[in-house]
Amino acid sequence: MDIAVIGTGHVGLVTSLTLASLGHSVAATDTDHEKIEALGRGVPPFHEPELPELLQQHLASGSVRFTTEASEALRDAEVAFICVGTPPEADGSANIAAVESTALDVARFARPGTVIVEKSTVPAGTADRLKHALERDDPGAHFEVVSNPEFLREGTAIRDSLEPERILIGADSERGFQTMREVYRPLVERRIKLVETDIHTAELAKHACNAFLSLKISFANGLARVCELAGADVVRVAEVMGADGRIGRDFLDAGIGYGGYCFPKDLAAFERFCASIGYDFPLLKDVADLNEQAAECAVAKAGVALRGIEGKRVAVLGLSYKPGTDDVRFSPALEVARRLLSLEAEVIGHDPLANANAKTELPQLHVVDDPYEAVRGADCLVVCTGWDDYRRLDLDRIRSLMASPVVVDGRNLFDPDRMRSAGVSYYPTGRRPAVAEAAG
Ligand code: UGA
């Protein structure tokens, strides 16, 4: 099939390459000239495993091409995927202006009958708004609108797209469903579950998934506080809970909270959406509050251990919002760094991939290329992102480089017994601290 993809951010680019891998001919468009030019040369604008290889493969075979001209991408399209951003408004609600104007572009440049696919995460009812806008724009023309939310995670986005647990299609006509079954035929033939619903349900299900995953994390973070007060171990509690198939172990890792360009923004948008239709969903606010407290708590622990933050040198290891990505948008690690800076600590950050992005986001942050350099002369080390590299750090070397060996582990990367025998004063999350004798 001839498919156009509008927007080449994380979702748009991964979607383009997935569709090309499924055998379609894809024209991807974006208004960012530099990005399109780099993509045409096979250079991705962000870190994502497997993506560079796939990009080069499909460029070489001609199954994907990039253009800044939406009209050109849309001219022959049978299906047009909208993958543009839905940034948060000041009150947290999703701004769908770009989605709407993209739908109108499709109507302007594509043939009538083209199926418009809402891939961007949007509040329920957005497809209806698109249909009304299209109808207003050109009362005679007919465009099918369907919802097909994405469930891909940064860092495993290619695998998540080519081997999804389910594909969700919301449509209100048999033609809409038929077209999408054809788009995903190779996956459906491999017995990947295709869930077909009405459009409102599909739109809402996407928000529900992200809100529920956020809730699991916040529950774990609330439990961590309880475990610290009760002298229990949140890692073992999560293990027990996770052994119950009804609960599941995933997304129960306590830490400094969730971040990224999906969970915080989608949770707020969902909460605003619920309020706008007359239901004040209190749990959603609690989830967001607990998430803020998680970052705050790591800073408070450092403050107690150091008897005050002001003038102290603090190393922050990990700046991306999770391991495996260079993305720092809504990163809780940067939130920790920001709070430390506001308390007048000297903060030295390190990340295997995200140093440059972190520096752009938080210019006051001093970043270094080597984790041992970050801890040199530090009064405290706060682990903020669970990179595997950090698990393998030489603890004796860390201890000897630090001015005082105090480690606040915001991701529970280390084994408390190992830290105790390394002579480090160790403050994990939701587990008993292991305070070295000399440090008191
Ligand atoms: C998330 C969802 O997992 C995807 O299914 C969804 O498609 C995507 O958002 C989206 O809406 O586009 P992503 O933001 O890439 O994907 O990251 P996750 O792996 O879900 O992690 C989100 C955050 O939760 C990270 O900051 C991570 O460190 C944190 N987290 C995760 C925890 O603090 N504890 C956990 O147990 C799990």
Side-chain angles (χ1 to χ4, degrees):
M1 297 171 98
D2 276 312
I3 299 184
V5 174
I6 304 112
T8 58
H10 221 105
V11 171
L13 185 52
V14 171
T15 300
S16 301
L17 298 175
T18 304
L19 293 169
S21 298
L22 298 183
H24 303 298
S25 170
V26 181
T29 180
D30 200 295
T31 48
D32 184 333
H33 286 251
E34 249 175 68
K35 197 197 269 182
I36 289 295
E37 193 267 327
L39 284 169
R41 286 187 287 112
V43 180
F46 47 77
H47 172 84
E48 182 62 50
E50 298 177 56
L51 189 137
E53 297 80 4
L54 213 54
L55 174 61
Q56 275 145 28
Q57 178 195 325
H58 290 309
L59 276 174
S61 69
S63 47
V64 71
R65 63 198 165 84
F66 297 95
T67 172
T68 49
E69 300 301 321
S71 57
E72 209 258 298
L74 286 161
R75 200 176 40 224
D76 300 319
E78 298 158 74
V79 185
F81 279 76
I82 301 182
C83 300
V84 296
T86 51
E89 296 282 13
D91 70 350
S93 57
N95 179 330
I96 59 158
V99 174
E100 207 166 301
S101 73
T102 303
L104 293 175
D105 276 349
V106 179
R108 197 161 308 131
F109 300 127
R111 294 187 298 240
T114 299
V115 174
I116 299 177
V117 183
E118 214 182 54
K119 193 66 154 170
S120 309
T121 300
V122 291
T126 299
D128 287 349
R129 282 182 60 171
L130 298 186
K131 284 190 239 168
H132 290 144
L134 290 162
E135 184 60 28
R136 256 197 326 270
D137 196 56
D138 184 354
H142 176 72
F143 288 90
E144 212 70 59
V145 179
V146 307
S147 163
N148 171 217
E150 51 85 16
F151 297 105
L152 52 92
R153 290 161 295 177
E154 290 188 20
T156 52
I158 301 291
R159 198 171 355 116
D160 289 346
S161 307
L162 289 174
E163 295 162 35
E165 287 182 312
R166 77 300 208 190
I167 298 165
L168 173 57
I169 311 290
D172 58 8
S173 72
E174 189 45 32
R175 184 166 168 260
F177 286 122
Q178 279 293 4
T179 307
M180 297 309 286
R181 283 178 210 138
E182 189 52 30
V183 167
Y184 289 112
R185 191 156 49 86
L187 295 180
V188 176
E189 281 170 355
R190 276 173 34 215
R191 302 198 171 282
I192 304 277
K193 190 178 166 74
L194 192 70
V195 184
E196 299 186 346
T197 69
D198 64 82
I199 302 183
H200 282 207
T201 302
E203 291 171 323
L204 201 139
K206 163 70 191 190
H207 266 155
C209 288
N210 276 3
F212 191 77
L213 291 170
S214 310
L215 179 147
K216 279 190 90 175
I217 299 167
S218 280
F219 188 87
N221 287 332
L223 267 184
R225 301 293 85 76
V226 178
C227 287
E228 281 167 14
L229 293 168
D233 187 330
V234 77
V235 175
R236 304 307 307 273
V237 174
E239 182 189 331
V240 175
M241 290 174 69
D244 186 329
R246 294 168 302 176
I247 299 173
R249 174 64 183 81
D250 288 348
F251 282 70
L252 284 180
D253 288 325
I256 59 165
Y258 58 77
Y261 203 59
C262 300
F263 284 180
K265 169 174 99 64
D266 290 353
L267 187 80
F270 190 42
E271 193 239 309
R272 292 319 306 156
F273 167 75
C274 296
S276 76
I277 56 168
Y279 180 58
D280 187 23
F281 200 155
L283 198 55
L284 301 182
K285 289 198 197 79
D286 290 340
V287 170
D289 287 348
L290 279 161
N291 197 49
E292 250 183 60
Q293 287 163 25
E296 209 173 274
C297 188
V299 176
K301 261 183 212 159
V304 171
L306 298 176
R307 301 189 179 91
I309 295 285
E310 195 182 330
K312 301 283 170 36
R313 189 178 165 99
V314 183
V316 169
L317 288 193
L319 303 169
S320 57
Y321 80 96
K322 65 170 188 178
T325 177
D326 60 355
D327 197 341
V328 298
R329 291 175 295 174
F330 295 96
S331 170
L334 287 194
E335 186 52 34
V336 167
R338 219 171 265 123
R339 285 171 188 267
L340 290 166
L341 286 165
S342 75
L343 294 168
E344 303 195 6
E346 182 194 356
V347 184
I348 298 95
H350 169 270
D351 191 279
L353 286 180
N355 274 357
N357 286 343
K359 191 74 191 160
T360 308
E361 185 92 353
L362 192 59
Q364 312 92 292
L365 184 67
H366 183 64
V367 295
V368 292
D369 289 332
D370 178 61
Y372 295 106
E373 201 45 47
V375 301
R376 187 185 294 280
D379 299 295
C380 176
L381 156 61
V382 187
V383 180
C384 285
T385 313
W387 286 99
D388 264 343
D389 296 6
Y390 295 151
R391 289 181 208 277
R392 294 187 284 270
L393 286 173
D394 175 346
L395 294 176
D396 289 333
R397 192 167 163 208
I398 296 270
R399 195 200 52 236
S400 65
L401 285 168
M402 291 180 76
S404 68
V406 174
V407 175
V408 174
D409 190 348
R411 292 295 177 187
N412 285 335
L413 278 197
F414 297 110
D415 172 28
D417 290 337
R418 219 181 120 217
M419 296 305 265
R420 188 178 289 110
S421 47
V424 170
S425 286
Y426 180 61
Y427 300 88
T429 305
R431 324 183 78 178
R432 285 205 182 110
V435 181
E437 301 253 313

